[in-house]
Amino acid sequence: MSTPVLGAKRLVGIIGDGPWRAPAFESLAAAVAAAITDGRLPVGARLPSERELAAVIGLSRTTTGRAYAQLREQEYILTRRGSGSIVQLPTVPGGRIDHLLSPAGADDTEIDLTCTAPVAAPDILGAYDRALSRLGAYLPGTGYYPSGLPVLREIIADRYTRRGAPTDPDQILITSGAFGGAAIAVRALLNVEPDEAARLGGARSTSRVLVESPTYPNAIATLEGAGAALVTYPLEFGPQGHHWDTDAMDQLMGQMRPRSAYLIPDFHNPTGALMGEAQRRDLANALRRHRVVPVFDESLVELGLEGGRMPSPMSALIPDSVTVGSVSKIYWGGLRIGWMRIPRHRVDHFASSRLGLDLGAPVLEQLVTVELMDSHDAVVADTRSRLRSARDLLAAQVRSWVPDWKLIVPSGGMALWAELPEARSAALSIAARNHGLRLVAGPNFAPAGGLDRWMRLPYTVPEPELEQVGPRLAAAWEEAKAMTGRGPTRRARIVA
């Protein structure tokens, strides 16, 4: 395959034309490195010569030469005589994926569709640079901020208020991702005081938690690990995709009397369903009537891909509810910054519960998030645009190569939820490894078992990889149909 060549004008269009902070060679190298890490400069592309870049960008040949030398030293480019300078990613000792998430080891030739997580957004490196300049002000203190940095809590509270859920910064607790927030919430809600347990009808009812099926696998593991007894509500499925029957949920709560609920009304993971305004109000009424304290996961709330006004946030409709969110789906999962919005009368109890788990999120990453929030709307718009294109590409691949699969394209989120003609998703996930594809079987998303007819297909990997999914998926599906066994259905731990 021929190597793509970037002209100097194209490179300048990607990284900008300055002004360059002194020393200019370091600023130029940092801009190129940032464009490589966030995917704007593709791996394998050939950069313009040092002389050509100098002429276009308005810097000396010495400056561009020193910038390229620094990029070589940092392993962002590989320069060979006759081949020019080729873009690459630096070697990461131990790999880019933790062994706990991929026990069998990562293969560079595999396409990993097990995770709904994007690569880093543009300006991550710049945000770290700016955050480091602000870190000194915090060093004289202990560095412990169990509630989170006040400046970040104010930003998050203001965003809730502008969405229609008036919020004070004291109601915000910064956590290690939305997953960390959900773990704190579950622990706090299930660990109730004796008088409240008596009011709720005894200790037995306080352990029950209502969840959707399918749902986020790590939430299932967290709830079960906290001692919750899961009350499963199967999402309805019709011609328009998955949806909630709030009357059925109302009846289920009346029969089972759960203490809490973990629900994903905004571009539900894994189905991509969005709960409508009327259903939200009906659900809020039912939750209040049955005295259920819900935890709403808003990790994907900003990823609507078709435009239009979003329904009211659930926190505006039911005051005694907890909401969790994070920056992982917009900026980068490596930041590990999330938050909780907590009812005022529960703040102290939740804060005490949090101190039993950790002493707060890292200060530097919180400062990085503050910096990124300055351009949040632009980053969100760019993320939506990339995901919309990727969604449509993957949907076309599935429809072309496995046309007997049923597919309803979601209006938001980060994955397709496909129905297979046969209950063989576990077998498919095994067969796929023979064709360079890593998948997660449907039963992983099932709190009470089943869902072997379903497969989640994230569209968060780069588009050149998505273009290869179709033929690999078709070959794996043919192999899966020929397998006599369907493989194990033990729930796996996945990222998101």
Side-chain angles (χ1 to χ4, degrees), residues 91-438:
T91 301
V92 177
R96 292 184 175 83
I97 301 175
D98 194 284
H99 73 284
L100 293 178
L101 301 177
S102 297
D107 183 338
D108 288 341
T109 66
E110 278 191 327
I111 300 173
D112 190 346
L113 296 185
T114 66
C115 176
T116 54
V119 298
D123 198 37
I124 285 284
L125 288 177
Y128 266 95
D129 188 37
R130 296 190 299 273
L132 279 171
S133 69
R134 300 176 61 174
L135 182 62
Y138 294 85
L139 295 180
T142 64
Y144 294 122
Y145 289 89
S147 296
L149 296 185
V151 61
L152 181 55
R153 292 162 63 202
E154 289 175 2
I155 291 172
I156 301 302
D158 179 65
R159 294 186 64 81
Y160 275 108
T161 298
R162 286 188 280 120
R163 288 177 57 206
T167 304
D168 293 330
D170 288 346
Q171 292 178 256
I172 301 298
L173 193 68
I174 303 301
T175 63
S176 297
F179 185 34
I184 295 169
V186 169
R187 175 174 173 155
L189 291 172
L190 296 186
N191 182 24
V192 299
E193 299 298 329
D195 59 340
E196 188 172 2
R199 180 179 63 81
L200 291 168
R204 182 181 177 190
S205 68
T206 65
S207 68
R208 294 178 184 157
V209 178
L210 175 69
V211 297
E212 299 138 330
S213 180
T215 193
Y216 175 40
N218 285 351
I220 301 172
T222 298
L223 292 168
E224 292 177 338
L230 302 187
V231 176
T232 302
Y233 164 70
L235 284 178
E236 311 296 324
F237 182 71
Q240 301 304 313
H242 285 80
H243 60 277
W244 292 261
D245 183 334
T246 50
D247 288 337
M249 297 178 78
D250 189 353
Q251 293 176 13
L252 184 60
M253 284 186 275
Q255 294 168 359
M256 302 302 297
R257 300 173 62 210
R259 159 63 172 160
S260 184
Y262 172 83
L263 304 171
I264 313 174
D266 301 289
F267 307 119
H268 175 265
N269 183 3
T271 69
L274 176 65
M275 184 179 289
E277 185 72 33
Q279 290 174 308
R280 291 174 185 244
R281 297 184 182 279
D282 290 343
L283 177 59
N285 290 334
L287 291 165
R288 283 195 299 267
R289 184 164 52 253
H290 296 293
R291 294 186 295 182
V292 176
V293 183
V295 178
F296 294 111
D297 189 335
E298 288 190 337
S299 298
L300 301 170
V301 70
E302 295 187 280
L303 295 182
L305 306 182
E306 301 298 340
R309 184 179 178 84
M310 283 290 291
S312 300
M314 292 302 302
S315 51
L317 301 177
I318 178 166
D320 195 17
S321 64
V322 180
T323 301
V324 298
S326 82
V327 299
S328 297
K329 306 301 185 184
I330 301 296
Y331 299 147
W332 184 44
L335 283 174
R336 304 309 314 131
I337 296 298
W339 54 84
M340 307 168 65
R341 181 191 184 274
I342 308 166
R344 288 184 180 86
H345 68 283
R346 297 188 183 277
V347 169
D348 290 344
H349 181 50
F350 273 60
S352 297
S353 182
R354 193 266 168 75
L355 291 173
L357 295 173
D358 63 44
L359 295 177
V363 172
L364 178 59
E365 275 62 34
Q366 292 187 65
L367 290 174
V368 171
T369 302
V370 169
E371 294 294 333
L372 290 167
M373 285 288 185
D374 283 343
S375 56
H376 182 75
D377 292 344
V379 174
V380 169
D382 179 69
T383 300
R384 288 172 177 165
S385 177
R386 286 188 287 108
L387 286 175
R388 186 184 307 113
S389 176
R391 178 200 62 182
D392 295 344
L393 172 58
L394 182 57
Q397 287 278 304
V398 172
R399 286 169 172 162
S400 176
W401 288 92
V402 280
D404 53 344
W405 290 20
K406 293 182 180 179
L407 194 65
I408 294 179
V409 178
S411 62
M414 308 181 91
L416 304 177
W417 183 239
E419 184 180 10
L420 313 182
E422 304 175 36
R424 287 186 173 272
S425 71
L428 175 60
S429 67
I430 295 172
R433 295 297 299 271
N434 297 327
H435 301 276
L437 202 57
R438 193 185 292 264

